[in-house]
Amino acid sequence: MEKPFKSLLNVMEGIDQPGQINADALKKLKAGKRHAHTVKELTDGIMAGNRTLLSKAITLVESSLPAHQDQAQQIIGACLQSTKSKIENRNSKIVDQSIRIGITGVPGVGKSTFIEALGKHLTAKGHKLAVLAIDPSSARSKGSILGDKTRMEELAVDPDAFIRPSPAAGSLGGVARKTRETIILCEAAGFDVIFVETVGVGQSETTVHSMVDFFLLLMLAGAGDELQGIKRGIIEMADAIVINKADGDNIGKARIARVEYANALHLFPPPDSGWVPVADICSARSGLGIDHVWDLVMEHRKITGDNGFFHRRRMEQNRQVFRETIEAGLQHHFFHQEEISQVMATLEQGIMNGLVNPYQAANDLLEKYFRER
Ligand code: GDP
């Protein structure tokens, strides 16, 4: 039997046919899926605080496609300009309006619980908070700790908070670059507090430190530094060490640990910031001390704002970004030259066979590269 109209279902005779699909609606749905926003739409959306468009723009930032990168750079440029003019228009003495806070600590120390507690405290005070993460391992282990959907349940539905898991790029440098750019977009979208979280197990703390104004190290009482996998260098970078889980039977131990860390911090030479790093306790679960942690951040902001360190540090970070971007660009260009990769493969073979001097080979190859530019 010839069907009277197109149907989604294969219906049997004698049964009423279901309604026809609305062809127009279907067309719109398909078109909508494919609709790529223009740079202007995305930029305007970000400035208007539209979170969907902000997310889309971040996806462009995170993409490795050259066309996306091109658009991302235009958006970043516009966002930087907008944030700058907003500050200038306010004619404020404070040059930088947002505050960027790095949060680190070993898995299980309570980072997400802490971020949820402090985050709720901040949004209740009228702040807009963006939570970003740096986890270079997330590309490999799909079930990344920082990408876990069940974390920060309340913040995740808070209209004044925006949570973005770590970009799934391979190298730490790559992940860091994308996170730095994401910070710029979030600030242009009106987020005035930015948390950058990382798992305290290695190199990524240094990277986070290089993009924030305040670096917070979460610790546990009763476990040695070695046990917590925290290196001396990380402790030295901290603006505050906060011992979490100061609740129940643990409060006494947390207090003792605070004194120990305070003593340890005093052994370091005074930092250029004019701020003396502090040790404190909190309970992300009970809320004890959470507001005090924020007071510390604000105190640090005031001191470093007044003495000019806050601004200087950001400018220094920008200079670093400038250099790193050049380095990354040069590397990318070099390694993507067809003839270079071919010659490299041959030379590497020779090196592996002990026939080629690696220094000489590297110099020759670089010379060839520069000659042909
Ligand atoms: P993360 O891996 O550092 O993000 O740690 P989580 O926030 O996931 O916390 C790890 C475990 O510690 C969870 O079971 C939390 O409920 C618990 N936890 C976090 N903060 C506290 C706290 O202040 N007190 C207590 N007693 N438990 C906490």
Side-chain angles (χ1 to χ4, degrees):
M1 185 192 95
E2 204 179 297
K3 288 185 181 161
F5 48 71
K6 244 191 179 167
S7 162
L8 268 181
L9 301 175
N10 201 4
V11 285
M12 287 185 291
E13 251 178 285
I15 296 178
D16 284 345
Q17 298 276 11
Q20 191 174 2
I21 312 166
N22 180 336
D24 259 4
L26 195 65
K27 218 158 120 192
K28 268 192 201 150
L29 204 69
K30 280 188 179 162
K33 266 194 192 148
R34 262 189 266 119
H35 174 68
H37 293 274
T38 63
V39 165
K40 174 139 189 6
E41 280 167 347
L42 290 171
T43 313
D44 289 350
I46 292 170
M47 315 279 181
N50 180 320
R51 302 155 63 103
T52 312
L53 294 181
L54 171 64
S55 293
K56 290 205 162 140
I58 296 174
T59 306
L60 286 182
V61 163
E62 291 175 352
S63 161
S64 49
L65 286 181
H68 289 170
Q69 273 307 306
D70 205 42
Q71 288 173 309
Q73 286 310 318
Q74 293 179 46
I75 298 170
I76 291 163
C79 286
L80 278 175
Q81 190 53 45
S82 142
T83 305
K84 196 160 169 253
S85 356
K86 264 191 226 156
I87 293 166
E88 283 165 1
N89 286 346
R90 261 182 234 156
N91 207 7
S92 149
K93 264 184 137 181
I94 301 172
V95 190
D96 303 286
Q97 297 292 327
S98 68
I99 182 136
R100 307 167 185 169
I101 301 161
I103 298 175
T104 193
V106 291
V109 72
K111 288 180 298 301
S112 43
T113 316
F114 174 84
I115 290 173
E116 172 114 323
L118 180 56
K120 293 298 293 175
H121 177 69
L122 293 178
T123 57
K125 277 165 80 95
H127 288 287
K128 287 190 75 191
L129 168 71
V131 181
L132 313 176
I134 287 201
D135 178 6
S137 67
S138 69
R140 263 169 286 141
S141 55
K142 276 267 165 56
S144 145
I145 323 164
L146 300 179
D148 190 342
K149 285 278 188 312
T150 58
R151 301 167 83 243
M152 307 173 207
E153 277 169 2
E154 283 183 55
L155 267 192
V157 294
D158 186 329
D160 292 319
F162 177 80
I163 302 177
R164 181 87 182 183
S166 178
S171 76
L172 179 56
V175 172
R177 207 163 34 251
K178 287 158 201 269
T179 305
R180 281 206 182 91
E181 295 176 346
T182 301
I183 292 178
I184 295 166
L185 302 196
C186 289
E187 287 176 353
F191 292 94
D192 63 329
V193 182
I194 315 283
F195 286 171
V196 184
E197 178 193 8
T198 194
V199 183
V201 286
Q203 196 50 44
S204 54
E205 296 94 327
T206 317
T207 307
V208 169
H209 183 255
S210 73
M211 62 178 78
V212 296
D213 310 309
F214 189 96
F215 190 68
L216 181 79
L217 175 59
L218 282 181
M219 299 286 269
L220 294 172
D225 300 347
E226 312 77 44
L227 271 182
Q228 298 189 45
I230 300 291
K231 297 191 189 71
R232 191 194 125 107
I234 309 290
I235 296 192
E236 202 168 351
M237 286 189 311
D239 292 302
I241 293 181
V242 177
I243 295 118
N244 188 33
K245 306 199 186 182
D247 44 46
D249 295 344
N250 211 21
I251 288 201
K253 275 197 269 175
R255 289 204 177 111
I256 294 169
R258 171 175 55 188
V259 175
E260 284 171 2
Y261 281 116
N263 289 338
L265 284 171
H266 276 122
L267 298 178
F268 294 124
D272 304 339
S273 58
W275 165 259
V276 183
V278 288
D280 206 350
I281 57 170
C282 82
S283 166
R285 184 171 283 176
S286 76
L288 172 107
I290 294 294
D291 50 349
H292 191 247
V293 172
W294 185 245
D295 292 344
L296 288 177
V297 174
M298 286 292 94
E299 226 177 287
H300 173 275
R301 176 73 185 84
K302 169 92 179 69
I303 290 175
T304 57
D306 288 349
N307 69 17
F309 180 83
F310 187 94
H311 184 63
R312 260 201 328 275
R313 178 161 164 175
R314 281 206 177 179
M315 295 305 106
E316 179 54 45
Q317 288 172 346
N318 279 347
R319 192 168 71 124
Q320 204 179 327
V321 165
F322 168 70
R323 294 194 168 203
E324 281 172 14
T325 311
I326 290 179
E327 276 174 34
L330 284 175
Q331 266 200 29
H332 183 86
H333 191 263
F334 180 85
F335 289 110
H336 282 75
Q337 301 294 308
E338 186 73 33
E339 348 85 75
I340 293 284
S341 1
Q342 281 167 6
V343 183
M344 251 182 99
T346 317
L347 287 174
E348 277 179 350
Q349 194 63 49
I351 291 167
M352 295 304 285
N353 293 334
L355 300 171
V356 174
N357 166 352
Y359 304 101
Q360 185 68 47
N363 284 330
D364 289 351
L365 190 58
L366 283 171
E367 250 176 52
K368 171 181 163 58
Y369 173 74
F370 288 122
R371 232 187 359 257
E372 287 168 14
R373 297 282 66 77

